[in-house]
Amino acid sequence: MDYLNTLLFGYYPYIAISVFLIGSLARYDRDQYTWRTGSSQFLRAAELRQGSNWFHVGILLLFVGHFVGLLTPPDVYHTLGLSTSAKQILAVVAGGIFGGVCLKGIIILVRRRLTDPRIRATSSRMDIFILLLIAVQLVLGLLTLPFSLYHYDGANMLLLAEWAQRIVTFKSGAADQLSEIGFIFKLHLFLGQTLFLVFPFSRLVHVWSVPVGYMARPYQVVRRR
């Protein structure tokens, strides 16, 4: 079991991150113009728009929350007057709200893609797989909230944060931090890493096509006939 724990939470994170970075770079360099929606955006467009809005707002807030929550050293938020237990409660409340928003969106998107024969016909196996994987990951994340409240002292949160900080700083002993963590937390972490692993092979890569440059561009290109 110690070997499996080390494999999944000591080595697997680096495999997932490496595939995520190298795969994303390769796809952006070679075939970014092949990223498409398969014309399904014209089918049940109102439902797509509603589900997409809920999903994207929720997932962005969840990403920021996890990023800040896991990678902020305790001394930083203690300096700001936030105790470990208070941060735990804040994380549970925010996670519940953001997770609920995102889950509402993903349910709409999954229902739309699986119940409409025309949309199903334009969907690849990866399209369906990635939606279901995100849905399961969201449900698991929400299921961890009662367990987090049970450990209101923030002990689990500190172990998870220490694991994440050791991973990103290449410190040894990261997997050891999770040896006493509950199974549901480990499964949530494993699926989260798997999302990074499959990211370059799915339509999630469209995130790299966000036109950030246009936001700062002080002019508009107009073509004349």
Side-chain angles (χ1 to χ4, degrees):
M1 290 300 294
D2 289 340
Y3 173 77
L4 184 61
N5 187 72
T6 301
L7 176 64
L8 295 180
F9 304 110
Y11 296 110
Y12 187 51
Y14 294 111
I15 296 173
I17 293 172
S18 297
V19 173
F20 169 76
L21 294 175
I22 297 172
S24 295
L25 180 62
R27 285 206 63 183
Y28 188 84
D29 182 59
R30 295 184 56 186
D31 55 3
Q32 59 173 301
Y33 298 108
T34 65
W35 304 347
R36 62 193 187 280
T37 59
S39 298
S40 67
Q41 74 270 27
F42 299 112
L43 305 174
R44 294 166 68 170
E47 190 175 10
L48 172 62
R49 185 165 54 252
Q50 181 187 29
S52 182
N53 288 341
W54 283 101
F55 170 74
H56 283 94
V57 169
I59 202 73
L60 287 173
L61 291 172
L62 283 173
F63 177 80
V64 172
H66 279 72
F67 185 85
V68 174
L70 289 174
L71 299 182
T72 302
D75 290 341
V76 174
Y77 55 80
H78 288 165
T79 302
L80 298 174
L82 192 65
S83 66
T84 301
S85 58
K87 181 176 180 291
Q88 172 86 329
I89 295 173
L90 177 62
V92 169
V93 172
I97 295 173
F98 302 157
V101 169
C102 192
L103 184 62
K104 179 176 180 177
I106 201 71
I107 288 174
I108 294 172
L109 294 175
V110 169
R111 181 182 62 195
R112 172 183 172 274
R113 189 166 292 275
L114 296 184
T115 60
D116 190 307
R118 296 175 300 171
I119 298 175
R120 184 72 178 267
T122 66
S123 303
S124 67
R125 292 180 180 178
M126 178 56 77
D127 294 335
I128 296 173
F129 171 76
I130 203 69
L131 274 179
L132 294 178
L133 180 61
I134 293 174
V136 171
Q137 176 70 341
L138 280 169
V139 171
L140 281 174
L142 291 171
L143 289 176
T144 64
L145 299 182
F147 295 95
S148 297
L149 280 177
Y150 180 76
H151 298 281
Y152 65 90
D153 60 349
N156 274 353
M157 179 187 67
L158 290 175
L159 291 174
L160 292 168
E162 181 64 22
W163 168 79
Q165 291 166 30
R166 284 176 180 253
I167 288 294
V168 299
T169 57
F170 301 98
K171 288 184 179 180
S172 61
D176 296 337
Q177 307 302 311
L178 303 183
S179 58
E180 302 300 325
I181 289 290
F183 174 75
I184 192 168
F185 290 98
K186 290 184 176 181
L187 184 57
H188 185 54
L189 284 176
F190 174 74
L191 288 186
Q193 295 172 110
T194 303
L195 274 172
F196 280 94
L197 184 74
V198 301
F199 179 97
F201 312 105
S202 71
R203 291 186 186 180
L204 293 178
V205 292
H206 76 271
V207 71
W208 302 127
S209 296
V210 174
V212 177
Y214 286 96
M215 299 178 184
R217 182 177 291 181
Y219 59 88
Q220 180 179 3
V221 176
V222 178
R223 292 186 175 89
R224 295 181 178 179
R225 291 182 178 180

